[in-house]
Amino acid sequence: LTRLQYLHRIHLSDVLQLLDGKAIAKGILDSLRERVAQLVRANHPPPGLAVVLVGEDSASQVYVRNKRRACEQTGIRSVAHDLPADVRENELLALMDTLNEDPDIHGILVQLPLPNHLNKSAVLETISPMKDVDGLHPENVGRLTRGEPRFVPCTPAGILEILHFYQIPVEGADVVIIGRSEIVGKPLAQLMIMHNATVTVCHSRTKNLAQVAAGADILMVAMGKHHFVGADFVKPGAVVIDVGIHRVNDKLSGDVDFNAVSPKVRAITPVPGGVGPMTIAMLMSNLALAAKMQS
Ligand code: NAD
């Protein structure tokens, strides 16, 4: 081995790698800003995103604010539709119809969760599949399942970008996903299958969870349970992707107990600064794709 190869092997095997989603997201947003500026210089309208927020859920307000800020940073036009918590379903559906017809709006985002009296499926199915930048319309879900994606849900798409950026091989890897939600776990599983991983999806009824997780080359955790995943859940040298976001004592942390797990693994996403910023960057990137397809 040359000295360089030797150092490289050490780098890959022994040194913990922090998977810096924040830096990758910045690169994606910087290049999008440049593309939007080029469009505007050529007298095209900037891509437009409608952001629909129903009610006053405080976590949703933070997510929506971050998405609107990313629009500002990239020159994307975002239009806010803040509706009261008791909005009637037919009013919300009528708004979707209006936005579907609006040529200056290329993407529609309805922040979830919706209040209980609203039928989430009915709302998501009313969004035009061509403006469905969250990738939750059944047509886009079906396309991903067939391995022919149009809009991939933003969090799974962001995770794949992180793995590609750090050249972490997905093909043939044993990937264990904890969580089977419509927005993270299930589309993530489809995306990993599409990229030739061997995928196991765990959920609240899974038996011997820690033991199953410890078989993973890449462990992806999206369960919404603070610091649930400890050192016993990981194989030495595994890669860990932590999707969870929790605010505890005014600090953000994940589903993975970072201090317990990180000494054992090869690479891990921090919270904050891992998956979260990538989710927003992929939303902007889906919007740019939507605008391109519609122009
Ligand atoms: P969800 O509540 O819809 O789904 C949680 C999943 O975890 C379910 O499928 C459930 O079966 C599974 N689960 C729960 N308890 C379990 C247990 N004890 N054992 C095994 N499985 C269990 O959550 P979600 O919307 O997928 O979000 C998950 C987490 O990710 C939350 O903390 C959320 O805030 C966060 N999140 C982060 C981003 C981001 O950009 N980083 C995006 C979306 C969600």
Side-chain angles (χ1 to χ4, degrees), residues 144 156-157 159-161 163 170-173 175-177 186-199 218 220:
L144 175 60
I159 291 170
L160 185 67
E161 286 291 323
L163 296 174
V170 174
E171 182 160 321
V175 171
V176 173
I177 299 169
K186 279 186 199 164
L188 187 54
Q190 292 298 346
L191 197 60
M192 290 300 122
I193 291 170
M194 198 184 134
H195 287 269
N196 300 319
T198 304
V199 180
I218 309 176
M220 303 175 167

mmCIF file of all heavy atoms in Angstrom, residues 144 156-157 159-161 163 170-173 175-177 186-199 218 220:
data_model
loop_
_atom_site.group_PDB
_atom_site.id
_atom_site.type_symbol
_atom_site.label_atom_id
_atom_site.label_comp_id
_atom_site.label_asym_id
_atom_site.label_seq_id
_atom_site.Cartn_x
_atom_site.Cartn_y
_atom_site.Cartn_z
ATOM 1 N N LEU A 144 -42.638 5.867 -7.782
ATOM 2 C CA LEU A 144 -41.444 5.494 -7.009
ATOM 3 C C LEU A 144 -41.434 3.980 -6.786
ATOM 4 O O LEU A 144 -40.387 3.328 -6.911
ATOM 5 C CB LEU A 144 -41.424 6.254 -5.670
ATOM 6 C CG LEU A 144 -40.306 5.890 -4.699
ATOM 7 C CD1 LEU A 144 -38.929 6.148 -5.314
ATOM 8 C CD2 LEU A 144 -40.435 6.676 -3.387
ATOM 9 N N PRO A 156 -36.355 11.143 2.293
ATOM 10 C CA PRO A 156 -35.629 10.029 1.670
ATOM 11 C C PRO A 156 -34.672 10.498 0.566
ATOM 12 O O PRO A 156 -33.528 10.022 0.487
ATOM 13 C CB PRO A 156 -36.753 9.164 1.082
ATOM 14 C CG PRO A 156 -37.930 9.441 1.955
ATOM 15 C CD PRO A 156 -37.813 10.892 2.319
ATOM 16 N N ALA A 157 -35.104 11.454 -0.260
ATOM 17 C CA ALA A 157 -34.221 11.944 -1.336
ATOM 18 C C ALA A 157 -32.957 12.557 -0.734
ATOM 19 O O ALA A 157 -31.842 12.358 -1.248
ATOM 20 C CB ALA A 157 -34.957 12.971 -2.195
ATOM 21 N N ILE A 159 -31.555 11.809 2.145
ATOM 22 C CA ILE A 159 -30.703 10.747 2.710
ATOM 23 C C ILE A 159 -29.874 10.102 1.595
ATOM 24 O O ILE A 159 -28.670 9.862 1.745
ATOM 25 C CB ILE A 159 -31.580 9.707 3.444
ATOM 26 C CG1 ILE A 159 -32.167 10.341 4.705
ATOM 27 C CG2 ILE A 159 -30.782 8.449 3.782
ATOM 28 C CD1 ILE A 159 -33.233 9.510 5.404
ATOM 29 N N LEU A 160 -30.507 9.845 0.454
ATOM 30 C CA LEU A 160 -29.771 9.246 -0.666
ATOM 31 C C LEU A 160 -28.639 10.174 -1.120
ATOM 32 O O LEU A 160 -27.519 9.726 -1.397
ATOM 33 C CB LEU A 160 -30.722 8.958 -1.837
ATOM 34 C CG LEU A 160 -30.087 8.222 -3.008
ATOM 35 C CD1 LEU A 160 -29.689 6.796 -2.619
ATOM 36 C CD2 LEU A 160 -31.024 8.187 -4.215
ATOM 37 N N GLU A 161 -28.907 11.488 -1.154
ATOM 38 C CA GLU A 161 -27.861 12.458 -1.539
ATOM 39 C C GLU A 161 -26.681 12.390 -0.569
ATOM 40 O O GLU A 161 -25.524 12.467 -0.988
ATOM 41 C CB GLU A 161 -28.422 13.884 -1.537
ATOM 42 C CG GLU A 161 -29.326 14.201 -2.703
ATOM 43 C CD GLU A 161 -28.579 14.272 -4.030
ATOM 44 O OE1 GLU A 161 -27.441 14.754 -4.063
ATOM 45 O OE2 GLU A 161 -29.154 13.802 -5.027
ATOM 46 N N LEU A 163 -25.691 9.818 1.200
ATOM 47 C CA LEU A 163 -24.941 8.571 0.956
ATOM 48 C C LEU A 163 -24.099 8.696 -0.316
ATOM 49 O O LEU A 163 -22.930 8.302 -0.337
ATOM 50 C CB LEU A 163 -25.902 7.385 0.853
ATOM 51 C CG LEU A 163 -26.693 7.069 2.132
ATOM 52 C CD1 LEU A 163 -27.718 5.964 1.876
ATOM 53 C CD2 LEU A 163 -25.769 6.673 3.280
ATOM 54 N N VAL A 170 -24.537 1.738 -1.540
ATOM 55 C CA VAL A 170 -25.892 1.290 -1.182
ATOM 56 C C VAL A 170 -26.148 -0.080 -1.814
ATOM 57 O O VAL A 170 -26.768 -0.948 -1.203
ATOM 58 C CB VAL A 170 -26.934 2.322 -1.674
ATOM 59 C CG1 VAL A 170 -28.346 1.818 -1.450
ATOM 60 C CG2 VAL A 170 -26.726 3.664 -0.961
ATOM 61 N N GLU A 171 -25.619 -0.256 -3.032
ATOM 62 C CA GLU A 171 -25.859 -1.510 -3.742
ATOM 63 C C GLU A 171 -25.341 -2.700 -2.922
ATOM 64 O O GLU A 171 -24.182 -2.716 -2.500
ATOM 65 C CB GLU A 171 -25.145 -1.465 -5.095
ATOM 66 C CG GLU A 171 -25.399 -2.706 -5.899
ATOM 67 C CD GLU A 171 -25.134 -2.492 -7.381
ATOM 68 O OE1 GLU A 171 -25.466 -1.404 -7.891
ATOM 69 O OE2 GLU A 171 -24.593 -3.413 -8.006
ATOM 70 N N GLY A 172 -26.230 -3.633 -2.675
ATOM 71 C CA GLY A 172 -25.838 -4.843 -1.941
ATOM 72 C C GLY A 172 -25.750 -4.660 -0.438
ATOM 73 O O GLY A 172 -25.541 -5.638 0.293
ATOM 74 N N ALA A 173 -25.893 -3.418 0.048
ATOM 75 C CA ALA A 173 -25.781 -3.180 1.497
ATOM 76 C C ALA A 173 -27.034 -3.696 2.214
ATOM 77 O O ALA A 173 -28.133 -3.667 1.668
ATOM 78 C CB ALA A 173 -25.613 -1.684 1.768
ATOM 79 N N VAL A 175 -29.613 -2.756 4.536
ATOM 80 C CA VAL A 175 -30.159 -1.512 5.082
ATOM 81 C C VAL A 175 -31.339 -1.862 5.994
ATOM 82 O O VAL A 175 -32.252 -2.572 5.572
ATOM 83 C CB VAL A 175 -30.633 -0.573 3.949
ATOM 84 C CG1 VAL A 175 -31.403 0.614 4.513
ATOM 85 C CG2 VAL A 175 -29.452 -0.093 3.125
ATOM 86 N N VAL A 176 -31.290 -1.395 7.228
ATOM 87 C CA VAL A 176 -32.437 -1.559 8.129
ATOM 88 C C VAL A 176 -33.033 -0.180 8.387
ATOM 89 O O VAL A 176 -32.311 0.766 8.733
ATOM 90 C CB VAL A 176 -32.030 -2.230 9.461
ATOM 91 C CG1 VAL A 176 -33.206 -2.233 10.443
ATOM 92 C CG2 VAL A 176 -31.553 -3.658 9.217
ATOM 93 N N ILE A 177 -34.344 -0.072 8.159
ATOM 94 C CA ILE A 177 -35.055 1.188 8.378
ATOM 95 C C ILE A 177 -35.993 0.984 9.557
ATOM 96 O O ILE A 177 -36.783 0.038 9.557
ATOM 97 C CB ILE A 177 -35.867 1.573 7.119
ATOM 98 C CG1 ILE A 177 -34.921 1.752 5.923
ATOM 99 C CG2 ILE A 177 -36.689 2.835 7.361
ATOM 100 C CD1 ILE A 177 -35.631 1.877 4.580
ATOM 101 N N LYS A 186 -41.561 4.404 4.464
ATOM 102 C CA LYS A 186 -41.946 3.633 3.265
ATOM 103 C C LYS A 186 -41.249 4.129 2.003
ATOM 104 O O LYS A 186 -40.668 3.325 1.265
ATOM 105 C CB LYS A 186 -43.464 3.675 3.085
ATOM 106 C CG LYS A 186 -44.191 2.672 3.962
ATOM 107 C CD LYS A 186 -45.670 2.674 3.608
ATOM 108 C CE LYS A 186 -46.474 2.057 4.730
ATOM 109 N NZ LYS A 186 -47.901 2.377 4.596
ATOM 110 N N PRO A 187 -41.282 5.453 1.699
ATOM 111 C CA PRO A 187 -40.571 5.870 0.480
ATOM 112 C C PRO A 187 -39.062 5.635 0.549
ATOM 113 O O PRO A 187 -38.417 5.358 -0.467
ATOM 114 C CB PRO A 187 -40.906 7.361 0.354
ATOM 115 C CG PRO A 187 -41.466 7.786 1.661
ATOM 116 C CD PRO A 187 -42.028 6.562 2.315
ATOM 117 N N LEU A 188 -38.510 5.701 1.767
ATOM 118 C CA LEU A 188 -37.075 5.429 1.924
ATOM 119 C C LEU A 188 -36.787 3.979 1.552
ATOM 120 O O LEU A 188 -35.793 3.683 0.866
ATOM 121 C CB LEU A 188 -36.684 5.718 3.381
ATOM 122 C CG LEU A 188 -35.227 5.667 3.779
ATOM 123 C CD1 LEU A 188 -34.374 6.554 2.890
ATOM 124 C CD2 LEU A 188 -35.063 6.081 5.248
ATOM 125 N N ALA A 189 -37.674 3.079 1.983
ATOM 126 C CA ALA A 189 -37.495 1.659 1.647
ATOM 127 C C ALA A 189 -37.541 1.473 0.131
ATOM 128 O O ALA A 189 -36.700 0.769 -0.447
ATOM 129 C CB ALA A 189 -38.572 0.825 2.333
ATOM 130 N N GLN A 190 -38.506 2.117 -0.529
ATOM 131 C CA GLN A 190 -38.614 1.981 -1.992
ATOM 132 C C GLN A 190 -37.354 2.509 -2.684
ATOM 133 O O GLN A 190 -36.856 1.914 -3.637
ATOM 134 C CB GLN A 190 -39.844 2.750 -2.518
ATOM 135 C CG GLN A 190 -41.162 2.162 -2.101
ATOM 136 C CD GLN A 190 -41.376 0.738 -2.624
ATOM 137 O OE1 GLN A 190 -40.660 0.267 -3.503
ATOM 138 N NE2 GLN A 190 -42.355 0.058 -2.060
ATOM 139 N N LEU A 191 -36.876 3.646 -2.181
ATOM 140 C CA LEU A 191 -35.690 4.254 -2.797
ATOM 141 C C LEU A 191 -34.461 3.353 -2.643
ATOM 142 O O LEU A 191 -33.653 3.203 -3.559
ATOM 143 C CB LEU A 191 -35.457 5.619 -2.131
ATOM 144 C CG LEU A 191 -34.563 6.604 -2.841
ATOM 145 C CD1 LEU A 191 -35.100 6.957 -4.215
ATOM 146 C CD2 LEU A 191 -34.421 7.885 -2.005
ATOM 147 N N MET A 192 -34.333 2.747 -1.463
ATOM 148 C CA MET A 192 -33.187 1.865 -1.211
ATOM 149 C C MET A 192 -33.295 0.594 -2.059
ATOM 150 O O MET A 192 -32.292 0.098 -2.580
ATOM 151 C CB MET A 192 -33.106 1.511 0.286
ATOM 152 C CG MET A 192 -32.703 2.661 1.171
ATOM 153 S SD MET A 192 -31.064 3.311 0.731
ATOM 154 C CE MET A 192 -31.474 5.008 0.370
ATOM 155 N N ILE A 193 -34.518 0.061 -2.228
ATOM 156 C CA ILE A 193 -34.711 -1.113 -3.095
ATOM 157 C C ILE A 193 -34.302 -0.755 -4.521
ATOM 158 O O ILE A 193 -33.596 -1.501 -5.202
ATOM 159 C CB ILE A 193 -36.186 -1.587 -3.061
ATOM 160 C CG1 ILE A 193 -36.519 -2.178 -1.691
ATOM 161 C CG2 ILE A 193 -36.453 -2.608 -4.174
ATOM 162 C CD1 ILE A 193 -38.002 -2.444 -1.482
ATOM 163 N N MET A 194 -34.737 0.456 -4.934
ATOM 164 C CA MET A 194 -34.415 0.900 -6.293
ATOM 165 C C MET A 194 -32.902 0.976 -6.514
ATOM 166 O O MET A 194 -32.411 0.778 -7.620
ATOM 167 C CB MET A 194 -35.042 2.287 -6.481
ATOM 168 C CG MET A 194 -35.185 2.734 -7.891
ATOM 169 S SD MET A 194 -35.835 4.419 -7.865
ATOM 170 C CE MET A 194 -34.714 5.122 -9.052
ATOM 171 N N HIS A 195 -32.175 1.274 -5.413
ATOM 172 C CA HIS A 195 -30.718 1.381 -5.528
ATOM 173 C C HIS A 195 -30.020 0.091 -5.081
ATOM 174 O O HIS A 195 -28.855 0.112 -4.687
ATOM 175 C CB HIS A 195 -30.219 2.612 -4.758
ATOM 176 C CG HIS A 195 -30.573 3.887 -5.481
ATOM 177 N ND1 HIS A 195 -29.747 4.483 -6.392
ATOM 178 C CD2 HIS A 195 -31.701 4.613 -5.469
ATOM 179 C CE1 HIS A 195 -30.338 5.555 -6.900
ATOM 180 N NE2 HIS A 195 -31.531 5.659 -6.355
ATOM 181 N N ASN A 196 -30.779 -0.991 -5.153
ATOM 182 C CA ASN A 196 -30.214 -2.349 -4.992
ATOM 183 C C ASN A 196 -29.687 -2.687 -3.608
ATOM 184 O O ASN A 196 -28.782 -3.517 -3.465
ATOM 185 C CB ASN A 196 -29.110 -2.592 -6.043
ATOM 186 C CG ASN A 196 -29.654 -2.480 -7.438
ATOM 187 O OD1 ASN A 196 -30.764 -2.959 -7.710
ATOM 188 N ND2 ASN A 196 -28.924 -1.832 -8.328
ATOM 189 N N ALA A 197 -30.248 -2.035 -2.581
ATOM 190 C CA ALA A 197 -29.937 -2.466 -1.213
ATOM 191 C C ALA A 197 -30.832 -3.652 -0.857
ATOM 192 O O ALA A 197 -31.857 -3.887 -1.492
ATOM 193 C CB ALA A 197 -30.192 -1.320 -0.239
ATOM 194 N N THR A 198 -30.433 -4.388 0.174
ATOM 195 C CA THR A 198 -31.300 -5.427 0.758
ATOM 196 C C THR A 198 -31.955 -4.787 1.971
ATOM 197 O O THR A 198 -31.262 -4.401 2.911
ATOM 198 C CB THR A 198 -30.458 -6.644 1.174
ATOM 199 O OG1 THR A 198 -29.744 -7.096 0.022
ATOM 200 C CG2 THR A 198 -31.336 -7.757 1.716
ATOM 201 N N VAL A 199 -33.273 -4.613 1.906
ATOM 202 C CA VAL A 199 -33.937 -3.709 2.857
ATOM 203 C C VAL A 199 -34.815 -4.453 3.862
ATOM 204 O O VAL A 199 -35.591 -5.323 3.472
ATOM 205 C CB VAL A 199 -34.812 -2.688 2.083
ATOM 206 C CG1 VAL A 199 -35.500 -1.741 3.046
ATOM 207 C CG2 VAL A 199 -33.963 -1.912 1.084
ATOM 208 N N ILE A 218 -26.174 -0.237 6.985
ATOM 209 C CA ILE A 218 -26.651 1.151 7.096
ATOM 210 C C ILE A 218 -27.962 1.121 7.882
ATOM 211 O O ILE A 218 -28.931 0.495 7.453
ATOM 212 C CB ILE A 218 -26.891 1.787 5.705
ATOM 213 C CG1 ILE A 218 -25.664 1.616 4.804
ATOM 214 C CG2 ILE A 218 -27.256 3.260 5.851
ATOM 215 C CD1 ILE A 218 -25.855 2.143 3.372
ATOM 216 N N MET A 220 -31.098 3.203 9.371
ATOM 217 C CA MET A 220 -31.810 4.468 9.180
ATOM 218 C C MET A 220 -32.944 4.525 10.191
ATOM 219 O O MET A 220 -33.790 3.628 10.216
ATOM 220 C CB MET A 220 -32.360 4.540 7.757
ATOM 221 C CG MET A 220 -31.257 4.394 6.720
ATOM 222 S SD MET A 220 -31.909 4.343 5.055
ATOM 223 C CE MET A 220 -30.373 4.570 4.127
#
